[in-house]
Amino acid sequence: EPEVTQTPSHQVTQMGQEVILRCVPISNHLYFYWYRQILGQKVEFLVSFYNNEISEKSEIFDDQFSVERPDGSNFTLKIRSTKLEDSAMYFCASSSGQALGSPLHFGNGTRLTVT
Amino acid sequence: DAKTTQPNSMESNEEEPVHLPCNHSTISGTDYIHWYRQLPSQGPEYVIHGLTSNVNNRMASLAIAEDRKSSTLILHRATLRDAAVYYCILRRNSGYSTLTFGKGTMLLVSP
C-alpha cells in the first residue's frame, strides 16, 4: 500500500538554525498538510497546500515557517530560525481530494529537537 | 470547530469487542464523523468515517446515532496492535476541511 514517507526520522539542531523537513506524499495525491505534536500534547494543524499554494494555515504557522513543493514528488517544511519551543514531532499528510470524505494519510513523522 | 467528547482511556482484553464512544452534540448537518488512531511513535492513521449511516470496513465499524449527536467506533476483536489513541473528529465543511485533533481515547489492550 502506498505511504507517505518523511526524512529524516530525527533531526537535532541548535536554536536559531534553519531546518528543512522533507516529505514524499503518495504519488497521485493533490492535497498536502503539515501537522505537529509537542510531546504529550495534541496533534496540531500547521498548514495545508494545494496547487502550489497555501490553502489554509493556523496561527502557529507564522513567518518563521514556509512550505514548498520543489518538484513533483517532495513537499518540504522549512523553519527559518528554530526556537526551543519548535521541538516536536512533525507529521506530513496527503489526501487525494478535498471532499470531506477524503481521508488524510500521514507519515510517521520527523522528531525535531532544538537545543 | 464542533467539539467532540471522548473518555480519556479505556481498557479491553485481547480478542474481545471494543466500543469507543464519542459525543458530538453540536454537530451540524454537513459534518462528517472521522475516526483516526495513533499507535505509539507513529503518525495518525485513518480508521473510518461516516455521515449518517453506519459504516463498516476492514478495520472497524462506525455506529452513528439517529440524531447524529453521538457515535461509536467498534473494534470487533481487539488485538494488542490495536492499543493506540483513538480520535473522533468532526470534519467541518469550511475552508479546506482540515482535521482538528482532540485528546482522544487511549485504548489499552491486555493479553
Side-chain angles (χ1 to χ4, degrees), chain A residues 1 31 33 35 37 42-43 45 48 50 55-56 91 95 97-104 106-108, chain B residues 30 32 34 36 38 41-44 46 49 58 87 91-99 101-103:
Chain A
E1 188 172 320
Y31 298 83
Y33 310 82
Y35 285 76
Q37 186 174 32
K42 299 180 199 177
V43 178
F45 167 73
S48 59
Y50 168 70
S55 43
E56 193 171 358
F91 296 108
S95 67
Q98 182 190 328
L100 296 181
S102 296
L104 272 62
F106 286 81
N108 280 330
Chain B
T30 55
Y32 275 72
H34 282 244
Y36 282 73
Q38 188 174 20
S41 302
Q42 293 191 24
Y46 167 77
H49 76 276
R58 63 177 177 82
Y87 301 99
R91 202 163 177 200
R92 181 140 277 188
N93 185 18
S94 66
Y96 283 80
S97 61
T98 56
L99 297 174
F101 289 82
K103 293 183 181 177

Side-chain angles (χ1 to χ4, degrees), chain A residues 51-92:
Chain A
N51 200 25
N52 275 325
E53 57 184 34
I54 290 173
S55 43
E56 193 171 358
K57 61 183 181 179
S58 71
E59 290 178 356
I60 302 167
F61 194 88
D62 62 22
D63 292 344
Q64 293 298 310
F65 292 88
S66 62
V67 289
E68 193 178 29
R69 188 152 161 83
D71 52 44
S73 59
N74 290 286
F75 179 51
T76 62
L77 174 70
K78 183 194 289 187
I79 309 175
R80 226 175 308 275
S81 176
T82 50
K83 307 182 197 116
L84 294 175
E85 54 264 38
D86 293 328
S87 295
M89 284 291 290
Y90 287 81
F91 296 108
C92 172

